[in-house]
Amino acid sequence: GENVEQHPSTLSVQEGDSAVIKCTYSDSASNYFPWYKQELGKRPQLIIDIRSNVGEKKDQRIAVTLNKTAKHFSLHITETQPEDSAVYFCAARVLGAQKLVFGQGTRLTINP
Amino acid sequence: GAVVSQHPSRVICKSGTSVKIECRSLDFQATTMFWYRQFPKKSLMLMATSNEGSKATYEQGVEKDKFLINHASLTLSTLTVTSAHPEDSSFYICSARDLEQGHQPQHFGDGTRLSIL
């Protein structure tokens, strides 16, 4: 089955700098890749997603890139702000499957 | 749009009690709902996939008689933790997919923090 690896597990950056979180997946049939942000004790919230027919997608300070050949995708956050501090999860879904397979999560801390 | 409501948000009860958690899609129809368990500082562990009108599909290692799932309508799924024990204490989160959205993203409820004394 699909396996998703996420790195790093923790990331600390200065406010205003960029943050990059990377994920790799194992099943080449995966075609949907969402990113979720989870603040302490709260629900995971979808922040951006990308399908396999697109190489990059951007929404204001957040962007996701996908390399299907290498089977990895990354989340990029620019001009980081303290409110970006949270745990971020990547996920992948195989074409035709119902469930998402999640990465292990990255705890992002933005230092003022 | 795409709001998922989960209730209750917190439960504290004695060992041996059965606890029911509800998950509702408020403004969309969800043929499929998912139940996750999350340990502190850990990732989301899928317990089961709940399909409306049929039996849930449980992940390997999840006891179906322990975690009863019912998905009787397109907007409601329930998870019942039967005869709960302290090791069942955890954060349980449901999610649902909005069938009307083309790329069918998955939206999460607020979660239920279950504490068994």
Side-chain angles (χ1 to χ4, degrees), chain B residues 78-100:
Chain B
T78 61
L79 167 68
T80 301
V81 183
T82 61
S83 187
H85 291 284
E87 59 266 28
D88 298 322
S89 297
S90 192
F91 191 54
Y92 293 87
I93 316 177
C94 71
S95 73
R97 289 174 68 180
D98 184 348
L99 298 180
E100 292 185 2

Side-chain angles (χ1 to χ4, degrees), chain A residues 1-7 22-35 50-55 64-74 90-95 100-104:
Chain A
E2 174 65 287
N3 182 52
V4 177
E5 296 287 331
Q6 182 171 348
H7 298 281
K22 299 180 179 181
C23 288
T24 60
Y25 60 99
S26 61
D27 194 331
S28 57
S30 289
N31 72 331
Y32 176 65
F33 308 92
W35 285 88
I50 191 168
R51 294 179 65 85
S52 59
N53 59 346
V54 176
V64 56
T65 58
L66 171 66
N67 184 327
K68 288 189 294 182
T69 302
K71 289 190 284 188
H72 68 70
F73 56 112
S74 300
C90 65
R93 186 166 68 217
V94 173
L95 177 65
L100 287 173
V101 178
F102 283 86
Q104 296 86 347

